[in-house]
Amino acid sequence: MTSAEPAATPPAPPVSLTALLARRDLGLRLLAGPEDVSIHWVHTSEMADPYPYLLGGELLMTAGVQLADPAHYVERVVEAGAAALAFGVTPVYDTVPAELVEACARHGLPLVEVPPRTPFTAVARALWRLMAEARLYELRRVTEAQQSLAAAAARPAPVPAVLGALASRLGGRAVLFAADGTPSVAAGREVPAEATRALRDLAGVLGPRPGGPASAGGDGGGLRLAAYALGGGDGLTLGVATERRGPGDHTIAGVAVVLLSLLTAPHRGADATARDGALVRLLLGAAPAEIAGTLGPGPWTVVHARGGDGTPFAAAGLAAALGTALMDTGGTGTGAGGRGGAAPGTPRQEGTTPGAAGPGGTAGSAALGAVRLLLPAPASVTAQSGWTLGVSAPVDAAGLAAADAQAARALRRAEATGADLVRHRPGGLAALVDPDEATAHARALLAPLSEPLAETLRVWLSLHGGWDRTAAAMDIHRNTVRQRITRCAALLDRDLDDPDVRMELWFALTSR
């Protein structure tokens, strides 16, 4: 029932082949297959078997230089997941081979004829231009939806108004389910009973379980379904049913989730207000012992996060998904061990940084743009789409300063390794080295490498020296990977087959 995010995120919203065929200046002609397919990128190849060089979703362009067996060629292209095939007539063929047309029709692969006057580069440029226009359209659509949802939240009956605005923007139905699966409020057009049941079942996948999934997707009744857990603590779930799912729909639904979480949350009691006040005093430099009684003995977990979708509600949505209201978005420091800056007019004791619990604390604030959250330790922190998370070990109130530093280091490791979530690991060799010294050593060691070379080396090491896997992960040719790694070895004057060298370089790449 649930659906995972795609392994490779397109650089822009996909473009329909129909839009490309509509460009009269290109003179393209559809010879076989459907035209309502989505194209994510474009690739040109004259290989006899292009399968190893395709990622899926491409418009593959060829002039048939090595087209010996059209039927087998099409089978391999379809197996690789290409969206469509564009065949350029001349200089090799005067017309598109009939065997190729028949094979594409048999497999349902769209086949496009490219006339002699149209170079492949013109087709690629037109496709990227259409993608740029699609991205701009999505940005405008999401912005307008955010404004509409915010205006709805200010109306006298905000919950039905937000659901109505969401259903209108997505062109479907929005339902708010209670913890027992009963629809409490709904808006938008009616959907088949089968879709209603499937949406209720999908909402039940989330449920009120702490640490459970924050969202789920599926299909039912011929519609695309999605469910999102609200963060109010009452087990409410938002269900959405639409005919199609656009690239920005998840962002629009996320804004609605944040607003509905705030609108449906129970009124905060005196204990929550006192706890927030204790956290503020802690961040301003109070000793942990002074506020431990009010904040609670714990244990607590500190999370540092970076990412989001750029909307004003992104951080609040993350907090709601993780089940906490204790959030700080004002971090401007340089990470653990660094000296952070306080907000204008904020008192701070000498030797402390935001997030350090007590005079002389050494835990720096989250790096620029990061969000810090404080969670009750039993809560299970899971990866969140669009965010990179660093999670501390559970601590009591007296250990919050150390936990803040742990979360900052874990976030740096997550960003260095490309992971969605990294938890603090006690001990280990990295814990024995001062972060500043490790950074200085990494910069000196890796100084000869440009950023593309260093990134290629990092990915290559993380994939245990796999050429093909590195090429796929970086969307480059395997020969390019080999050339870059050979260049790294020459510039560093190191034997990259030596496990000790690999270990040292990995430590440097994750410490810089």
Side-chain angles (χ1 to χ4, degrees):
M1 181 69 73
T2 59
S3 61
E5 293 294 326
T9 302
V15 171
S16 173
L17 177 59
T18 304
L20 194 61
L21 293 172
R23 292 287 300 266
R24 294 186 178 181
D25 58 314
L26 299 177
L28 304 179
R29 188 162 64 101
L30 184 68
L31 301 181
E35 66 176 45
D36 57 342
V37 297
S38 296
I39 301 174
H40 292 274
W41 33 60
V42 62
H43 180 66
T44 301
S45 175
E46 297 300 340
M47 303 296 294
D49 181 9
Y51 177 90
Y53 309 97
L54 301 180
L55 295 177
E58 303 96 341
L59 170 64
L60 174 62
M61 297 191 293
T62 181
V65 175
Q66 299 190 61
L67 184 64
D69 186 347
H72 178 69
Y73 183 87
V74 171
E75 288 178 359
R76 294 291 284 170
V77 170
V78 171
E79 185 179 355
L85 177 64
F87 193 90
V89 293
T90 68
V92 183
Y93 290 88
D94 294 331
T95 60
V96 180
E99 297 88 346
L100 187 66
V101 177
E102 293 172 1
C104 287
R106 186 166 57 252
H107 288 278
L109 177 68
L111 175 62
V112 177
E113 179 189 70
V114 183
R117 64 179 176 82
T118 303
F120 284 175
T121 53
V123 178
R125 182 172 57 188
L127 180 63
W128 293 125
R129 185 170 296 170
L130 289 171
M131 285 185 171
E133 293 173 356
R135 176 182 288 276
L136 180 60
Y137 169 80
E138 279 300 309
L139 289 175
R140 288 176 176 170
R141 188 173 75 93
V142 170
T143 300
E144 292 172 357
Q146 291 172 348
Q147 295 171 347
S148 176
L149 290 168
R155 294 175 185 169
V159 172
V162 169
L163 288 174
L166 177 63
S168 174
R169 289 292 172 175
L170 299 186
R173 186 166 182 81
V175 183
L176 188 63
F177 292 98
D180 60 359
T182 304
S184 56
V185 187
R189 63 183 182 85
E190 294 293 332
V191 297
E194 179 185 351
T196 301
R197 291 192 298 269
L199 189 60
R200 183 176 61 248
D201 294 341
L202 190 63
V205 171
L206 306 181
R209 302 186 305 276
S215 63
D219 299 280
L223 299 176
R224 305 296 299 274
L225 310 178
Y228 305 87
L230 302 192
D234 290 336
L236 299 179
T237 305
L238 170 65
V240 178
T242 57
E243 290 187 355
R244 60 185 62 87
R245 187 172 300 161
D249 287 358
H250 183 74
T251 301
I252 295 173
V255 175
V257 167
V258 174
L259 292 173
L260 292 171
S261 297
L262 296 174
L263 294 170
T264 59
H267 293 294
R268 298 171 60 79
D271 57 339
T273 302
R275 190 162 58 246
D276 286 359
L279 178 62
V280 171
R281 295 199 304 275
L282 181 69
L283 295 176
L284 295 181
E290 298 177 12
I291 53 83
T294 307
L295 186 62
W300 300 92
T301 298
V302 178
V303 177
H304 283 208
R306 197 187 313 278
D309 55 16
T311 66
F313 307 104
L318 174 65
L322 295 180
T324 182
L326 303 180
M327 175 185 65
D328 170 32
T329 59
T332 57
T334 57
R339 183 172 295 277
T346 300
R348 187 180 68 190
Q349 299 183 18
E350 181 62 24
T352 65
T353 59
T362 59
S365 69
L368 183 62
V371 178
R372 295 188 301 175
L373 306 101
L374 187 62
L375 288 73
S380 176
V381 181
T382 57
Q384 302 295 319
S385 176
W387 289 92
T388 302
L389 307 180
V391 183
S392 76
V395 298
D396 56 20
L400 285 175
D404 187 53
Q406 292 172 4
R409 289 194 296 269
L411 177 60
R412 287 201 301 270
R413 285 200 301 272
E415 292 176 324
T417 58
D420 294 330
L421 182 150
V422 169
R423 302 182 190 277
H424 169 70
R425 299 190 304 268
L429 293 176
L432 302 177
V433 181
D434 179 84
D436 293 335
E437 293 182 4
T439 301
H441 173 72
R443 289 175 178 172
L445 177 61
L446 303 173
L449 303 184
S450 64
E451 185 57 33
L453 288 177
E455 177 62 11
T456 303
L457 180 59
R458 183 193 68 77
V459 176
W460 183 72
L461 290 173
S462 72
L463 297 175
H464 309 290
W467 304 109
D468 292 332
R469 294 170 63 195
T470 303
M474 300 192 68
D475 194 19
I476 57 178
H477 196 276
R478 60 174 292 162
N479 290 342
T480 304
V481 177
R482 288 185 178 275
Q483 292 169 2
R484 290 184 181 181
I485 296 302
T486 301
R487 182 64 175 160
C488 289
L491 291 173
L492 297 173
D493 192 21
R494 301 291 180 101
D495 179 8
L496 298 186
D497 290 330
D498 188 333
D500 290 335
V501 172
R502 290 194 181 194
M503 180 178 66
E504 181 182 7
L505 289 174
W506 178 253
F507 177 80
L509 287 164
T510 55
S511 300
R512 60 183 180 140

